[in-house]
Amino acid sequence: MFVFLHFCVEVKDVEPTEPLGPVVADNASRQHRYASGQYFFEYLVVVSLKKTKDGSSYEPQITYQFPKRDGMAKFQKEEEEKTLKALTLFCFPEGINWAPLTEYHSETFSFVLTEVDGSRRNGYCRRLLPGGKGARPPEAYCIISTLACFGLFSKIFDEVEKRRQISMAMIYPFMQKLREAPFPAPGNTVEIKSFIPESGTEIISLTRPLDSWLEHVNFATLFDCLTDAEVLLVFASAILERRIVFIADELGTLSQVIHAVAALLYPFTWQHTLISIVPEILIDVVMAPTPYLLGVQKRLLDQVTDQSDVSLIFLFQIGDESSILPPKLQTEILEELSNRQKVLTVEEMNRVVSEAFLHFFVKTVGHYSSYVRCSRAGGQGVFEKRSFYKAIDSKTTRHFVKKFIQTQMFDLFIQEVEQQQAGPQQGED
């Protein structure tokens, strides 16, 4: 039997706003505080390890879904069943014979689900040992959301885990109120008041960083695992859309490194296969001839490397990785990255690292807008590719740009610019 506790939700701004009258103030504050149409998550599932029919091993099964989805069309139900099946693989990707445990350190990681139309949803997972006595298998809590915000969902999982240790029944009222709370705009906070027996009322504050495009990223893990020079090799290979595999023991390390590498490409977006944690059943994906960013647990590729921490592996390595980026700009990136030693917070480090690579793009292709021309009728813009790269004075930079503009990430970026171009070009010639 579930015991439903009393919750209430309050939303506050980081900075107070002036009173505008009851109705106007409410509407204005809601538009200011909430990202339009966005809510924290679509659903939560609990994945438990259950014994197989013959009792010889355990297999992951979904034992709870919140909320239940009723009234779906047949094709929608079939698609959801496929998604839920995939979740069990990503929550327990190891493909090993699990056994009951008496100790298990909880771990948090994330993955990406790519839909047929190319859209992506994020999966956040916390694996933990449920409360109880004696040996028992771990279980996983997985949240599916269109939002990329690892820090916020990690904090949500802290609350989920705390409640799970008291009673399973305490989780779902908390998640119900969270699901009802609109997702705050960057720099704003949602506060959830929760009453817990023996602890009283607690306030959980969930704040989004101002740099919302970095809220899914923690560059610290990437730089803990790789040297600055190795990160440049990764960046160079990713920017030319090659095949990259990361290997690590920890699921959290894999997911954080993969998402950090993808974030280095901002304002461009990785367009190809991205699997932050490859389940054992899908390990053959490493043999695909197309570009990918993959995270693989070390036990699945120990025939490739004997290192125990995260390692960069280039499958089918070409050998030119250190010479892809212009030498002068490589030096400038390294100089900017050295400034992260002076920062104290994750947010400050994320800003230093992201700016170093953003400056690289500004210096190499930042003049793109001057070469998107519009017809006099105000039609769609046309990117003048040849004139664009010939305008670059530096020979090494021009050589790099000629390669980069052939990538899918640059092509799609320019396509969006061309489609948005609605009037006479205002850029500098």
Side-chain angles (χ1 to χ4, degrees), residues 297-309:
Q297 284 188 289
K298 181 181 180 296
R299 57 176 296 276
L300 298 179
L301 277 185
D302 55 7
Q303 71 272 25
V304 178
T305 178
D306 58 2
Q307 299 183 41
S308 60
D309 56 357

Side-chain angles (χ1 to χ4, degrees), residues 92-121:
F92 290 94
E94 294 89 346
I96 62 175
N97 290 327
W98 286 90
L101 305 169
T102 55
E103 292 185 1
Y104 182 82
H105 295 291
S106 64
E107 56 185 335
T108 305
F109 54 93
S110 64
F111 52 87
V112 175
L113 298 174
T114 303
E115 307 299 330
V116 176
D117 61 2
S119 62
R120 292 173 174 174
R121 289 186 292 173

Side-chain angles (χ1 to χ4, degrees), residues 94 98 106 117 144 164-165 171 215 228 270 301 308 339 345 403:
E94 294 89 346
W98 286 90
S106 64
D117 61 2
I144 299 301
R164 178 64 183 92
Q165 300 307 324
I171 295 174
E215 60 191 341
D228 292 7
W270 180 262
L301 277 185
S308 60
N339 292 327
T345 67
K403 291 183 177 180

Side-chain angles (χ1 to χ4, degrees), residues 326 329 360-368 371 383-405 410:
L329 297 183
F360 169 83
F361 286 121
V362 170
K363 293 170 184 175
T364 53
V365 296
H367 59 297
Y368 72 89
Y371 295 89
F383 179 58
E384 298 178 344
K385 182 183 298 186
R386 183 175 177 83
S387 299
F388 167 72
Y389 72 75
K390 278 188 168 294
I392 301 172
D393 293 329
S394 168
K395 184 177 180 180
T396 55
T397 301
R398 185 166 62 250
H399 180 70
F400 161 76
V401 170
K402 286 180 69 174
K403 291 183 177 180
F404 178 52
I405 61 179
F410 183 84

Side-chain angles (χ1 to χ4, degrees), residues 18-34:
E18 294 296 328
L20 300 176
V23 177
V24 177
D26 181 65
N27 291 338
S29 63
R30 287 186 65 85
Q31 292 175 3
H32 176 66
R33 294 167 180 166
Y34 305 145

Side-chain angles (χ1 to χ4, degrees), residues 43-47 62 64-66 84 87 91 140-143:
Y43 50 85
L44 160 77
V45 297
V46 179
V47 181
I62 291 178
Y64 185 86
Q65 177 182 343
F66 170 82
L84 295 177
L87 294 187
C91 289
Y141 287 76
C142 182
I143 293 175

Side-chain angles (χ1 to χ4, degrees), residues 221-222 224-227 230-231 233-234 243-250 253-254 257-258 261 293-298 301-302 304-315 317:
T221 302
L222 177 63
D224 285 344
C225 297
L226 300 177
T227 66
E230 288 171 335
V231 171
L233 292 180
V234 175
R243 290 168 287 177
I244 303 174
V245 176
F246 288 97
I247 299 175
D249 287 320
E250 300 294 331
T253 298
L254 286 173
V257 166
I258 290 288
V261 170
L293 284 174
L294 303 179
V296 176
Q297 284 188 289
K298 181 181 180 296
L301 277 185
D302 55 7
V304 178
T305 178
D306 58 2
Q307 299 183 41
S308 60
D309 56 357
V310 73
S311 303
L312 171 64
I313 297 177
F314 291 103
L315 297 184
Q317 186 173 353

